[in-house]
Amino acid sequence: MSKIHIVGIGPGSKEYLTFKARQVVESTDILIGSKRALELFDDVINEKIEIGAGNMGEIFKLAVYKACQGNSVALLSTGDPGFSGVLKPILKLADNIDVEVVPGISSIQMCAAKLQISWDDANIITMHGKGISNEIISMLSNGKPTIILPNRTVNELANFLLENGIDPTRDIVVCEKLSYPDERILKTTLKDVVNKKFNYMCVLVIN
């Protein structure tokens, strides 16, 4: 049967790959993912197809086509496939294909662990690739920590919040490149984060 495995690969380090993810990848014919995702499996010998920022839609269609040809396809999704991952677009394309989702450790989970936040008692919002949501303004007034995957950059979000009346002295934590050797966790204030530079792989917490 045609099958696509959507495999969560965690926040980026091999340390946070699950045994199940590794097992599924090794058993498939074709491996599809971003450059940094594929690098996690550089020792796996199978056909590999790289996803670039400009060809995601085409590659998703190719993944479905390859599966329809009888191939077993593993599509790598950073973090967990169900949270700003590739599950949603693939389900729209894969009407007649068996889909297996292999969950992974999301950067939201890792951020909460690093900061010792009980994340079932926090606001969690993703703007990744969606634009900034006005919903965040009301969230910030309910007394809970708010964990955010920003749309593009930390600075973009910080400026938006300041322009919409959020206190410039509000405490903010930026978790950058979680699980990587150059991981950085910066505790600062909203006004002080505006002019700092960060990698695009960031999670924010506003207390």
Side-chain angles (χ1 to χ4, degrees):
M1 178 184 288
S2 301
K3 189 165 187 176
I4 291 182
H5 307 266
I6 306 178
V7 182
I9 60 167
S13 167
K14 284 187 178 183
E15 289 182 310
Y16 289 92
L17 279 174
T18 65
F19 178 80
K20 176 68 173 179
R22 182 83 190 180
Q23 188 179 49
V24 168
V25 165
E26 290 177 348
S27 68
T28 53
D29 304 311
I30 301 171
L31 187 58
I32 300 175
S34 66
K35 181 180 179 182
R36 69 185 181 97
L38 292 174
E39 286 173 351
L40 295 173
F41 303 97
D42 52 9
D43 59 328
V44 175
I45 302 173
N46 49 19
E47 182 182 349
K48 294 178 182 176
I49 300 172
E50 185 176 324
I51 297 175
N55 69 347
M56 291 182 69
E58 293 176 15
I59 296 297
F60 291 161
K61 290 177 182 177
L62 178 62
V64 172
Y65 173 73
K66 291 283 190 181
C68 287
Q69 289 183 311
N71 297 291
S72 178
V73 177
L75 183 59
L76 305 179
S77 182
T78 303
D80 182 86
F83 193 78
S84 287
V86 303
L87 177 59
K88 192 181 294 185
I90 289 297
L91 289 180
K92 290 179 180 178
L93 296 170
D95 289 340
N96 300 312
I97 298 174
D98 186 19
V99 175
E100 178 190 14
V101 179
V102 180
I105 299 170
S106 74
S107 56
I108 291 288
Q109 288 171 274
M110 189 163 185
C111 168
K114 289 280 184 179
L115 300 180
Q116 299 182 3
I117 296 171
S118 179
W119 57 285
D120 60 349
D121 193 33
N123 303 311
I124 297 175
I125 185 168
T126 175
M127 303 176 188
H128 187 61
K130 300 177 181 179
I132 298 177
S133 171
N134 287 319
E135 182 184 1
I136 190 172
I137 302 300
S138 59
M139 281 186 174
L140 292 177
S141 63
N142 67 8
K144 297 180 179 181
T146 301
I147 308 175
I148 310 159
L149 279 184
N151 174 45
R152 288 183 295 187
T153 67
V154 172
N155 314 77
E156 176 194 47
L157 178 57
N159 278 312
F160 172 83
L161 295 175
L162 289 170
E163 289 166 6
N164 282 272
I166 301 301
D167 184 353
T169 65
R170 191 79 178 257
D171 290 335
I172 184 171
V173 184
V174 181
C175 297
E176 181 183 34
K177 299 192 74 174
L178 289 170
S179 84
Y180 286 89
D182 53 346
E183 169 184 295
R184 178 169 64 142
I185 296 177
L186 176 66
K187 298 181 180 181
T188 183
T189 61
L190 189 57
K191 67 178 180 180
D192 290 334
V193 85
V194 171
N195 296 316
K196 290 183 168 61
K197 291 185 178 180
F198 299 96
N199 185 276
Y200 72 95
M201 292 187 290
C202 286
V203 183
L204 279 68
V205 178
I206 301 178
N207 293 303

